[in-house]
Amino acid sequence: MSDSTATRANVYDVRPKTEVPAESPLAWSYHTSGRPSVSQKSRVVLRERAMAGHMILRGGAIVLDEAVRGVLGFGLPARPNTLSLSDDGARSIQWLSPDEWLVIVPGGEEFTLERQLREALGDAHYAIVNVSGGQTLLELEGDKARELLMKSTPYDVHPDAFPVGKGVTTVFAKANLILRRPTETRWELVLRRSFADYCYRWLLDAGAEYAIGVEK
């Protein structure tokens, strides 16, 4: 098999038809554990960015960076454990390892993005894996969000150790996830679908003293 053949792949839109309801990884959690409303007393606000497009890129940084810039308009993060964001903040690229990055885009864009990247990369050695169905993203905001994280992870989330633009893989309660800080006020948890219910219930319990609210 030639190198060019090895990098070719059929890309299928695997989202259900419109008549089939698509549910977020937290759909059952909302039903069984509740969804406390956001109030004036809420010091932490939780929201899920469900059904987003999650893709893993692997390959040489120089080749991938050129392709990503041509397709998305911004490049790979320049340093380990950092993020790069589009101008509107809707798309992000997270450094995971020296040859691995996580791309998150609005739901539905991942299929077109994968096709465009494969066309741009041509015969280069790379791998693109759509992991959208296996992950979800939770956002935390509020003046007590950092205190909630301090109760949940051993990683140092002090602003000096965790500035804006940082993202790490770490332990959260008894789960593993990616913890990110894309803006001054917002934290993100990128987690596997199988951990979603557990982490949601943990956040509700740990955030109860801050009157945590869940945005719909």
Side-chain angles (χ1 to χ4, degrees):
M1 182 182 292
S2 67
D3 290 343
S4 60
T5 303
T7 58
R8 293 174 187 161
N10 292 324
V11 180
Y12 300 101
D13 187 337
V14 295
R15 287 178 177 269
K17 300 297 183 181
T18 54
E19 62 269 17
V20 179
E23 292 186 331
S24 85
L26 290 181
W28 179 247
S29 305
Y30 296 145
H31 176 71
T32 57
S33 301
R35 197 171 188 171
S37 300
V38 179
S39 69
Q40 292 183 343
K41 295 182 179 180
S42 297
R43 310 292 295 277
V44 179
V45 175
L46 168 66
R47 68 181 67 88
E48 181 189 15
R49 276 174 51 195
M51 316 302 287
H54 295 235
M55 296 173 56
I56 297 291
L57 304 183
R58 300 205 69 168
I62 295 176
V63 173
L64 284 178
D65 184 70
E66 182 178 352
V68 167
R69 287 182 185 276
V71 175
L72 284 177
F74 65 102
L76 302 177
R79 300 188 309 278
N81 293 327
T82 57
L83 309 171
S84 57
L85 300 170
S86 60
D87 290 340
D88 61 1
R91 298 157 190 82
S92 66
I93 304 175
Q94 160 87 44
W95 185 98
L96 297 179
S97 73
D99 68 347
E100 184 178 12
W101 295 265
L102 170 65
V103 180
I104 299 180
V105 297
E109 288 187 10
E110 64 271 26
F111 307 108
T112 300
L113 175 60
E114 181 175 352
R115 285 193 291 267
Q116 291 175 334
L117 286 174
R118 290 187 181 279
E119 291 173 0
L121 288 163
D123 295 340
H125 292 276
Y126 66 90
I128 302 176
V129 181
N130 186 338
V131 296
S132 306
Q135 297 190 164
T136 193
L137 188 152
L138 305 181
E139 297 179 344
L140 293 174
E141 285 192 288
D143 63 319
K144 292 297 183 181
R146 187 166 68 88
E147 279 76 1
L148 191 158
L149 292 173
M150 290 169 63
K151 298 199 295 182
S152 307
T153 177
Y155 203 93
D156 188 355
V157 293
H158 189 278
D160 291 342
F162 213 118
V164 172
K166 186 170 183 174
V168 299
T169 300
T170 186
V171 175
F172 185 91
K174 293 183 179 180
N176 283 69
L177 50 69
I178 297 172
L179 176 63
R180 309 162 14 135
R181 191 182 179 199
T183 71
E184 191 71 37
T185 60
R186 190 173 83 246
W187 298 80
E188 294 180 345
L189 310 177
V190 182
L191 57 146
R192 291 199 289 271
R193 189 183 190 98
S194 56
F195 286 149
D197 178 66
Y198 168 73
C199 289
Y200 178 73
R201 288 186 289 115
W202 175 280
L203 288 166
L204 292 188
D205 183 65
E209 65 174 300
Y210 311 126
I212 187 171
V214 181
E215 277 193 357
K216 295 183 179 180

